Amino acid sequence: MSDVAARLVDYYEREMAERATRPLADEREQRLTAFVELLRDEGLGSVVEVGCGAGRDGVRIAGAGVAYSGVDLTPAAVDLCRGLGLDAHVGSATELPFADDSFDAGWTMSTLMHLPGDEMVRALAELRRVVRAGGLLEVGVWGADTSSEWTDDGGRYFRSRTDEGLRGLLGAVGEVVAFDTWTHFTDGGHYQWARVVVS
C-alpha cells in the first residue's frame, strides 16, 4: 500500500463511525435520489460503488431492489457496510475485485480525487471494465478552476482537476451525458458531478 493510501486509511479508520451519522448534503441527496430513480426507470439491476464509506449511499441503492456491491480501502468502512447487510469488500479503486461486465451501473462520490498520479485514469478504466457497455456511471469529486494537489491537515491527499480536465478523463470511459457543479468557493474550488454512459 502506498503512503498516500495508508494515510487515507488511517484518517478514515479514525472518523468512519462519526461519518456514519452525518447527513448527506442537500445536493448529494438530490443526486442520489435521482440515481436510484434512474436505476428503476432503466431497469438497471446491479451497481458497484467505489468508496462505499459508511454505507449511507449503499443502503439507499440496495433499498431500490438492485444487487449492490461496495469497495473501500478502509476496513472500518467495510465492517460498517456489512453490518448494514451490504455486500462490501476491502479493495482499491485501481484494482476492483470483480469480473468484467459485472454491473449495470457504477457510483462513486468524493473518492477519486484522493488518487495521485495517473491512478484516477486507472480507476476509471477499472469502472469501465466492470460496468457493461451501455451502463451508467455517476462520478462526483471536488475540483477547481485551476488544477492542483495538496495534503490536508489530516494527512489526506487531494487532486483537483478543472471541469474540462475531468470531462476529458470521463470521455475515455464513455459519453458524458450530464455535468454539473455546485458549492463554489472564492478560491475556485467546487464540487463536480457527471453522468456517463459507458462505451
Side-chain angles (χ1 to χ4, degrees):
M1 181 181 291
S2 71
D3 288 345
V4 167
R7 288 195 301 270
L8 285 170
V9 170
D10 180 64
Y11 178 92
Y12 286 114
E13 282 282 318
R14 288 183 277 111
E15 71 115 54
M16 194 55 61
E18 184 275 329
R19 183 169 287 258
T21 65
R22 190 185 307 167
L24 296 175
D26 289 345
E27 191 71 44
R28 170 84 167 266
E29 178 70 36
Q30 292 169 19
R31 299 297 174 176
L32 178 58
T33 297
F35 180 69
V36 169
E37 289 174 356
L38 192 58
L39 295 175
R40 291 179 177 140
D41 292 346
E42 299 290 329
L44 303 176
S46 56
V47 175
V48 59
E49 181 180 14
V50 174
C52 56
R56 295 174 300 169
D57 295 358
V59 166
R60 292 276 300 284
I61 294 168
V66 302
Y68 169 92
S69 293
V71 175
D72 204 286
L73 270 179
T74 307
V78 171
D79 289 345
L80 282 168
C81 287
R82 289 176 176 170
L84 295 169
L86 298 172
D87 177 53
H89 308 264
V90 175
S92 168
T94 60
E95 294 180 48
L96 297 177
F98 307 110
D100 295 0
D101 303 323
S102 294
F103 302 97
D104 295 330
W107 172 264
T108 178
M109 295 292 141
S110 303
T111 296
L112 301 186
M113 74 266 184
H114 291 308
L115 300 176
D118 68 349
E119 288 189 14
M120 185 171 178
V121 174
R122 291 167 50 199
L124 289 171
E126 276 292 272
L127 280 162
R128 183 181 186 189
R129 180 182 67 79
V130 302
V131 176
R132 64 170 176 79
L136 290 178
L137 173 61
E138 295 207 7
V139 176
V141 291
W142 285 101
D145 294 341
T146 303
S147 296
S148 63
E149 55 187 317
W150 74 96
T151 300
D152 73 5
D153 292 341
R156 293 180 300 170
Y157 170 88
F158 287 83
R159 181 166 180 184
S160 295
R161 290 174 169 83
T162 64
D163 297 348
E164 181 180 83
L166 178 61
R167 289 180 74 112
L169 293 182
L170 294 173
V173 176
E175 181 185 0
V176 179
V177 296
F179 191 95
D180 200 2
T181 63
W182 59 82
T183 315
H184 291 258
F185 295 105
T186 56
D187 66 0
H190 55 270
Y191 203 79
Q192 304 163 319
W193 165 88
R195 177 178 294 150
V196 181
V197 176
V198 177
S199 59

